Amino acid sequence: MPFFREKAKQEARESQMSIEKTYDPSAVETRLYERWEKSGAFACDVHSKKEPYCIMLPPPNVTGSLHMGHALINTLQDILIRFQRMKGKDVLWQLGTDHAGISTQLVVERQLAAQGLDRREMGREAFLKRVWAWKEESGGTITKQLRRLGASGDWSRECFTMDEGLSRAVTREFVTLYNEGLIYKDKRLVNWDPKMLTAVSDLEVESKEVKGHLWYFNYPIEGSDEWITIATTRPETMLGDTAVAVHPENEKLKHLIGKQVKLPLVGRLIPIIGDDYADPEKGTGAVKITPAHDFNDFEVGKRHNLPMINIFDQHAKLNEEAPQKYRGLDRFVARKKIVEDMEALGLLDKIEDHIHAVPHDEKTKTVVIEPFLSEQWYCDVRGMADQAVKAVREGKTQFVPKQWENTFFAWMEDIRPWCISRQLWWGHQIPAWYGSDGKVFVAESDEEADTQAEKHYGKKTALTRDEDVFDTWFSSALWPFSTLGWPDKTPELARYYPTDVLMTGFDIIFFWVARMMMMGLHFVGDVPFRKVFISALVRDEKGQKMSKTRGNVIDPLDVIEKYGCDALRFTLANLSTPGRDIKLSASRIEGNRNFVTKLWNAARFCQMNGCEWIEGFDPYKVMGDPNAQTTNKWIIHSLRHEWSLITSCLEDFRFDLASSRMYGFVWNIFCDWYLELSKPILSGDDEKAKRETQETVAWVLGQIFHLLHPVMPFVTEELWGKFTGSTDMLMTRAWPDYSNDVKDFEAVDEIEWLISLVNDIRTVRAELNVPAGAQIPLQVKGASDETKARFERHAAIIARLARLSGVTHVDAVAKGSAQSVLGEATLILPLAEIIDLDSERARLKKEGEKIAAEIKKLDAKLGNKDFIDRAPPEIVEEQRERRAEAEAILARLEAAQKNLAG
RNA sequence: GGGCGCUUAGCUCAGCGGGAGAGCACUUCCUUGACAUGGAAGGGGUCACAGGUUCAAUCCCUGUAGCGCCCA
């Protein structure tokens, strides 16, 4: 009994260790993620002696879900995080979510609407309770998804922008800026969302080309029979006109300046003014001026001291400033009515079709945003913007790719005061209180405001708090330091700020990056990040933007389910060429899933062949051993080379190049050649060579796991465990460092020769339709002693890979043989019996033509005196060598043709 | 209108001042003891167009065209 029990135990152990035939990503991914997270390996260590490395996750909307753009940006961040962690840094990937004022409120309002409820009827408190409930309910979605993606961030430090600490930071921000005179209240035109009933910033407005009309109205000139014709895209706003403008140098119209027109439908007398804004080339040369409903007109109005007549209420319905018959009408209903009425009065000159840009809300893209006169809080960011520009110009923060700096500069240099108040309920309520006389008290708390008021009024006074909340970006602007504990002077802030890299999409350079730069410099005194990496936009395979309305959204989780997380991560990394959008196609992901499978099977092969990982294996010993296998020296040399390239690609954010190199190395070097070359040794009798090869194979495979881990964390971790039996986690192991520069160009030469040899023979065989299974003899003519030695050393490999029955060195070529040229030697396949002479002739002819063309090109170059005189000598020499080689090959190809001709 | 980017194999894209590359797709062959999610071989490109710089341009410069994005 004990014996069987022992045996069963041992078998169990073995099956747990051994690599199964197929890889099941979803089971493995979930298990490994839990293991990583439980181990505490994601957490930073503020007391660590290691160098810190920090990335702030751009906080996704708390109630949102992961889309492909998130998948991309978070994959790239995780690659850097894992890479730097392995490189021995104390890594902090700060995670968290954003309350996303408008979006979240919009979602909840819609939910309410579906139940026939309205937030106004519920009241602020009940509504907010509802939003918090929704946040609790859906807030976990995105974080679960991040986990599914393999994100190795520090969950223990997860933040939410409306957490107490972060809220305190926002209050401090506002109060400080207010006390510095950088925040003020002002009544001016804002972009108004008449559906959400809030101001929005310029950035939150999206222009859409809309087919509309240009209406030409005749405005009668007072005291004459004449009229002046104006063109407008918004007839309804005429009710708020307070002037008509013409260009002061407009020859045809300038005589009218100073006269008045009687505004139709209203009867108000308004002046005709001269202003450059009226372009004589555009429309009729005369424009109506409606200062309260157009940003340009607002400026004209200010220049000419025109009254501002606001004809809309907050729903963009006509108010009591409009004539009785229009009051209460929606702006678009009023538009129609006014056009009809103007026509009835005979004042409608004509209507033209007109395509023009109409501002829409950027969330739903359905509501037309209205320029609307209202009182809002503004932040004067001019000075801070200058500081931010200066920091970037000085290279304190660098954009990658660099061209985005221009975008940043362009916007910063043209920056306008930032409207920071929103008429929403979900968000940070503005810490401003008003006395009954309207006096403002800005303070960090109720109590402080009361104290201020008491001081001011000389007695306790009841205050009312401002109902508005801040623009969401007013709080996210603090993210790089509010998450680290600011305004307190925490050890985290001291250690991780400035952060190393910020990764984000170009679409929020203005919204977010610019504002973090400004606030970081202003409040912490240094840039918030050293590098800003701007990622590509993920499109569908036709190059269209993914959007719900188009229905072309690829859900990253579906992809992960189908192909595994590593395949998706690898694909995203591989496609992210700087400065180019990503067109994501299923075939690409599938191809990379196959890569994962390839790696899996390669590891399985290695394990089946007794290649056991030896901790502490010393590759330099193999390199220094004159009797070591050339294949092993070659692969060690190649791996070291690959390591240095992959490392520098990752350091340069070239995820595309890094992943391509990984793919090429694993598949085309390691699997296609190294493992194939190793097979005869692994199954041979030379115990020393076998052991050395087993060890080297295992070592190289282990290094591959390390190098691939940042991009493909799951399959590498799983294989690491299964292959090495190690209880260490790969994710916390050190990134390889082969600072000892091992090189062996002789081994490289030899293996490259070997590969060419096998390729040449395979080509001849395939083109001459030699049956794949047939073992044929090879004769070699003109081989040097070195080449002969190589044939000797690799006899088994050559026979196996080229399917040869044997190799002999000869002095003459048998009639009717197929021939190929390799270096100084001629390869002869005496196949007179089986080959098709015509196809061999055709093959040789084609080869010859190729070479001849090359010689011709080289001759032209070398015959050019300027080239000889002016090109660098080594280039000239290189071309000469190339020509000599080509010449030799051509000669032997011609000999082969002759031999065939018989 | 201003700015930026792109144009390389059928498709998606690397690359780069001196020999045109990958993946996918395609054709032919192969179930050879890791892998058919695989192996082997092959076809396929005036590197958008026109000028310029250079001994040499797919690459640098200028212009043109087409496409895309951002801003107004």
Side-chain angles (χ1 to χ4, degrees):
Chain A
M1 267 319 255
F3 170 77
F4 290 113
R5 205 179 303 139
E6 267 311 299
K7 200 174 170 215
K9 247 171 140 181
Q10 193 187 337
E11 272 170 7
R13 208 177 308 127
E14 273 169 8
S15 80
Q16 200 191 350
M17 277 273 299
S18 77
I19 299 169
E20 303 89 344
K21 198 157 166 73
T22 51
Y23 174 53
D24 173 13
S26 37
V28 168
E29 286 165 10
T30 317
R31 168 165 51 78
L32 287 180
Y33 195 88
E34 274 176 26
R35 183 178 167 210
W36 288 332
E37 193 176 351
K38 274 189 197 140
S39 78
F42 292 165
C44 69
D45 176 9
V46 74
H47 305 297
S48 167
K49 294 267 185 292
K50 297 173 178 175
E51 198 183 326
Y53 184 89
C54 180
I55 296 180
M56 294 283 165
L57 173 82
N61 292 1
V62 66
T63 63
S65 58
L66 200 71
H67 59 62
M68 217 30 112
H70 289 124
L72 169 68
I73 205 79
N74 295 324
T75 293
L76 299 186
Q77 285 172 89
D78 194 49
I79 291 172
L80 285 184
I81 285 292
R82 287 178 184 272
F83 174 57
Q84 295 293 344
R85 186 185 289 121
M86 289 177 84
K87 285 193 75 178
K89 305 264 180 74
D90 163 39
V91 167
L92 168 57
W93 188 10
Q94 174 65 49
L95 304 175
T97 47
D98 191 284
H99 66 281
I102 290 188
S103 303
T104 308
Q105 179 158 335
L106 193 68
V107 170
V108 176
E109 282 193 24
R110 273 184 190 154
Q111 292 172 355
L112 291 175
Q115 299 169 15
L117 295 171
D118 183 278
R119 74 170 157 109
R120 262 158 260 278
E121 289 162 15
M122 293 173 77
R124 186 168 189 141
E125 205 175 321
F127 177 75
L128 285 180
K129 231 173 125 182
R130 180 81 188 230
V131 183
W132 277 105
W134 169 240
K135 184 248 171 193
E136 292 310 320
E137 183 188 328
S138 72
T141 305
I142 196 119
T143 53
K144 266 186 220 127
Q145 289 172 320
L146 271 173
R147 287 181 161 90
R148 197 70 186 79
L149 196 64
S152 64
D154 190 345
W155 291 107
S156 70
R157 299 183 49 84
E158 188 186 349
C159 290
F160 175 52
T161 46
M162 280 170 67
D163 282 348
E164 201 208 321
L166 277 71
S167 300
R168 195 158 57 88
V170 175
T171 304
R172 175 67 61 84
E173 173 192 25
F174 179 75
V175 173
T176 309
L177 292 172
Y178 179 81
N179 290 335
E180 289 169 346
L182 293 173
I183 281 182
Y184 55 92
K185 229 175 166 182
D186 196 13
K187 187 168 187 177
R188 60 174 76 162
L189 281 190
V190 294
N191 296 297
W192 184 262
D193 183 329
K195 183 97 183 288
M196 290 295 287
L197 304 180
T198 179
V200 293
S201 81
D202 297 342
L203 291 172
E204 288 161 307
V205 174
E206 193 172 295
S207 274
K208 277 209 304 197
E209 296 262 296
V210 167
K211 270 189 215 162
H213 303 283
L214 203 52
W215 285 272
Y216 289 77
F217 287 162
N218 294 330
Y219 282 7
I221 293 169
E222 178 71 355
S224 87
D225 298 334
E226 288 179 280
W227 57 71
I228 186 164
T229 308
I230 55 92
T232 179
T233 56
R234 303 202 53 195
E236 69 280 11
T237 63
M238 71 169 285
L239 304 178
D241 285 359
T242 54
V244 170
V246 301
H247 196 281
E249 277 145 43
N250 185 329
E251 291 306 324
K252 271 191 275 178
L253 297 173
K254 71 177 183 188
H255 67 281
L256 296 172
I257 295 170
K259 299 195 172 177
Q260 291 195 307
V261 301
K262 190 164 191 178
L263 189 61
L265 309 178
V266 181
R268 184 163 61 232
L269 283 177
I270 59 173
I272 298 176
I273 57 171
D275 195 285
D276 293 351
Y277 170 62
D279 183 349
E281 308 297 320
K282 261 163 100 179
T284 62
V287 289
K288 63 195 270 307
I289 301 297
T290 324
H293 297 286
D294 181 282
F295 287 100
N296 289 312
D297 293 9
F298 182 82
E299 295 302 320
V300 176
K302 276 212 300 209
R303 281 201 285 277
H304 296 270
N305 245 330
L306 299 172
M308 299 191 192
I309 302 176
N310 178 15
I311 58 162
F312 289 150
D313 66 12
Q314 58 175 357
H315 301 278
K317 287 182 179 161
L318 297 188
N319 65 13
E320 64 288 349
E321 291 288 348
Q324 181 67 45
K325 64 183 296 197
Y326 302 112
R327 285 180 201 166
L329 294 181
D330 176 80
R331 51 190 161 160
F332 298 111
V333 177
R335 174 179 297 177
K336 216 172 143 207
K337 190 122 186 62
I338 283 166
V339 171
E340 281 166 16
D341 291 349
M342 286 297 279
E343 187 170 20
L345 289 171
L347 297 175
L348 175 64
D349 180 39
K350 59 178 173 178
I351 305 175
E352 284 175 358
D353 287 341
H354 184 64
I355 294 172
H356 60 128
V358 177
H360 286 73
D361 75 295
E362 62 131 16
K363 295 291 178 210
T364 70
K365 304 186 200 330
T366 56
V367 181
V368 174
I369 297 296
E370 197 64 51
F372 187 66
L373 205 52
S374 74
E375 195 171 36
Q376 302 287 346
W377 288 97
Y378 289 90
C379 179
D380 175 7
V381 284
R382 183 67 268 167
M384 289 189 267
D386 291 341
Q387 291 303 308
V389 167
K390 188 163 164 262
V392 174
R393 291 212 188 277
E394 286 171 356
K396 286 185 180 149
T397 294
Q398 295 173 327
F399 280 74
V400 182
K402 199 170 169 50
Q403 76 236 23
W404 289 109
E405 284 176 8
N406 293 328
T407 310
F408 175 80
F409 291 143
W411 191 68
M412 290 302 253
E413 273 150 21
D414 187 36
I415 201 164
R416 277 169 285 182
W418 176 12
C419 174
I420 54 170
S421 45
R422 296 289 180 273
Q423 287 64 52
L424 302 172
W425 286 349
W426 177 242
H428 301 101
Q429 194 173 353
I430 296 177
W433 287 260
Y434 304 96
S436 50
D437 59 350
K439 165 80 187 164
V440 181
F441 302 94
V442 166
E444 297 207 15
S445 64
D446 289 23
E447 298 77 32
E448 208 184 306
D450 284 338
T451 315
Q452 282 183 24
E454 198 176 339
K455 223 180 197 172
H456 176 77
Y457 294 112
K459 58 174 182 182
K460 277 199 188 320
T461 312
L463 299 175
T464 37
R465 184 164 182 180
D466 197 313
E467 297 222 329
D468 292 350
V469 300
F470 288 122
D471 176 10
T472 302
W473 302 102
F474 193 67
S475 53
S476 19
L478 311 182
W479 187 253
F481 46 99
S482 62
T483 52
L484 297 175
W486 188 88
D488 296 336
K489 286 193 168 139
T490 61
E492 287 83 359
L493 186 62
R495 180 165 174 78
Y496 300 109
Y497 191 97
T499 66
D500 291 85
V501 184
L502 179 85
M503 283 203 158
T504 191
F506 69 89
D507 49 335
I508 55 174
I509 292 181
F510 308 140
F511 278 113
W512 196 44
V513 178
R515 283 154 178 178
M516 285 190 288
M517 286 290 291
M518 296 192 291
M519 294 305 167
L521 284 161
H522 192 76
F523 286 106
V524 193
D526 201 348
V527 293
F529 21 73
R530 298 290 178 210
K531 295 259 166 71
V532 179
F533 179 88
I534 302 295
S535 82
L537 194 69
V538 186
R539 297 166 177 281
D540 75 1
E541 55 195 322
K542 291 181 202 114
Q544 289 190 309
K545 216 166 167 171
M546 287 189 193
S547 71
K548 279 182 192 156
T549 45
R550 279 201 188 86
N552 61 348
V553 177
I554 306 176
D555 183 340
L557 290 183
D558 290 347
V559 174
I560 290 174
E561 270 320 303
K562 191 163 175 201
Y563 299 104
C565 181
D566 292 322
L568 175 64
R569 289 174 59 116
F570 187 90
T571 305
L572 291 172
N574 194 229
L575 291 177
S576 71
T577 310
R580 193 163 191 149
D581 290 346
I582 292 178
K583 287 184 201 170
L584 192 66
S585 70
S587 71
R588 199 84 187 207
I589 302 168
E590 198 180 317
N592 292 326
R593 186 270 322 263
N594 296 351
F595 176 55
V596 173
T597 308
K598 185 76 181 177
L599 180 67
W600 182 267
N601 284 310
R604 208 169 140 252
F605 168 82
C606 296
Q607 189 174 64
M608 284 162 58
N609 281 276
C611 303
E612 279 177 33
W613 171 260
I614 297 171
E615 192 67 52
F617 171 83
D618 181 8
Y620 304 118
K621 234 172 105 185
V622 175
M623 296 303 271
D625 178 356
N627 297 317
Q629 298 295 308
T630 323
T631 48
N632 292 337
K633 292 183 173 181
W634 164 74
I635 198 68
I636 292 169
H637 173 108
S638 305
L639 176 84
R640 192 205 166 273
H641 179 63
E642 218 57 43
W643 159 79
S644 85
L645 291 170
I646 289 171
T647 305
S648 61
C649 286
L650 289 176
E651 271 159 2
D652 296 341
F653 307 105
R654 290 307 303 266
F655 308 100
D656 55 332
L657 299 182
S659 53
S660 294
R661 293 220 68 93
M662 292 169 189
Y663 188 100
F665 182 73
V666 170
W667 203 312
N668 306 119
I669 306 288
F670 184 74
C671 292
D672 287 352
W673 288 105
Y674 180 59
L675 290 184
E676 292 303 323
L677 295 173
S678 299
K679 277 178 181 173
I681 307 173
L682 292 171
S683 60
D685 321 319
D686 183 340
E687 286 305 321
K688 181 184 176 290
K690 187 170 170 176
R691 195 164 51 251
E692 174 194 299
T693 300
Q694 285 171 330
E695 289 175 3
T696 308
V697 165
W699 181 77
V700 173
L701 184 64
Q703 303 311 299
I704 286 172
F705 295 155
H706 286 76
L707 295 180
L708 266 56
H709 183 262
V711 179
M712 309 204 304
F714 291 109
V715 72
T716 50
E717 183 74 77
E718 179 69 0
L719 284 173
W720 170 256
K722 295 238 174 218
F723 182 70
T724 65
S726 168
T727 50
D728 276 9
M729 294 188 300
L730 180 62
M731 77 162 282
T732 52
R733 286 180 60 93
W735 186 254
D737 180 5
Y738 321 120
S739 41
N740 184 350
D741 191 0
V742 279
K743 284 186 177 148
D744 190 336
F745 290 106
E746 272 177 44
V748 171
D749 269 359
E750 184 162 323
I751 301 301
E752 279 176 359
W753 169 87
L754 183 55
I755 290 171
S756 301
L757 170 72
V758 172
N759 279 340
D760 281 2
I761 297 170
R762 280 174 173 172
T763 302
V764 175
R765 291 179 61 120
E767 297 212 340
L768 299 183
N769 296 319
V770 176
Q775 304 228 324
I776 57 172
L778 172 70
Q779 297 175 349
V780 185
K781 180 173 159 257
S784 66
D785 289 346
E786 172 57 20
T787 301
K788 283 180 179 159
R790 285 173 171 179
F791 269 110
E792 195 62 35
R793 269 200 292 282
H794 302 290
I797 287 165
I798 294 166
R800 180 184 179 118
L801 297 185
R803 306 222 129 231
L804 300 177
S805 56
V807 178
T808 47
H809 293 276
V810 297
D811 297 323
V813 181
K815 288 285 177 206
S817 301
Q819 294 178 54
S820 181
V821 177
L822 178 66
E824 84 292 354
T826 301
L827 307 175
I828 303 154
L829 295 170
L831 299 169
E833 319 296 300
I834 51 172
I835 64 168
D836 172 353
L837 290 183
D838 283 339
S839 41
E840 172 63 352
R841 258 190 289 271
R843 194 185 67 81
L844 290 171
K845 192 164 166 246
K846 199 180 78 182
E847 288 288 305
E849 277 164 1
K850 237 194 252 173
I851 298 278
E854 202 190 327
I855 291 176
K856 207 172 152 195
K857 246 162 89 180
L858 290 165
D859 277 345
K861 216 179 228 183
L862 291 163
N864 183 347
K865 194 170 169 305
D866 286 333
F867 173 69
I868 304 294
D869 291 348
R870 308 181 75 156
E874 65 273 17
I875 296 289
V876 177
E877 188 48 36
E878 195 187 311
Q879 306 293 316
R880 281 204 175 108
E881 276 171 22
R882 199 180 297 163
R883 195 195 176 287
E885 273 169 39
E887 185 78 57
I889 292 171
L890 185 63
R892 277 171 293 156
L893 283 174
E894 279 166 356
Q897 273 174 291
K898 246 184 232 155
N899 170 282
L900 216 55

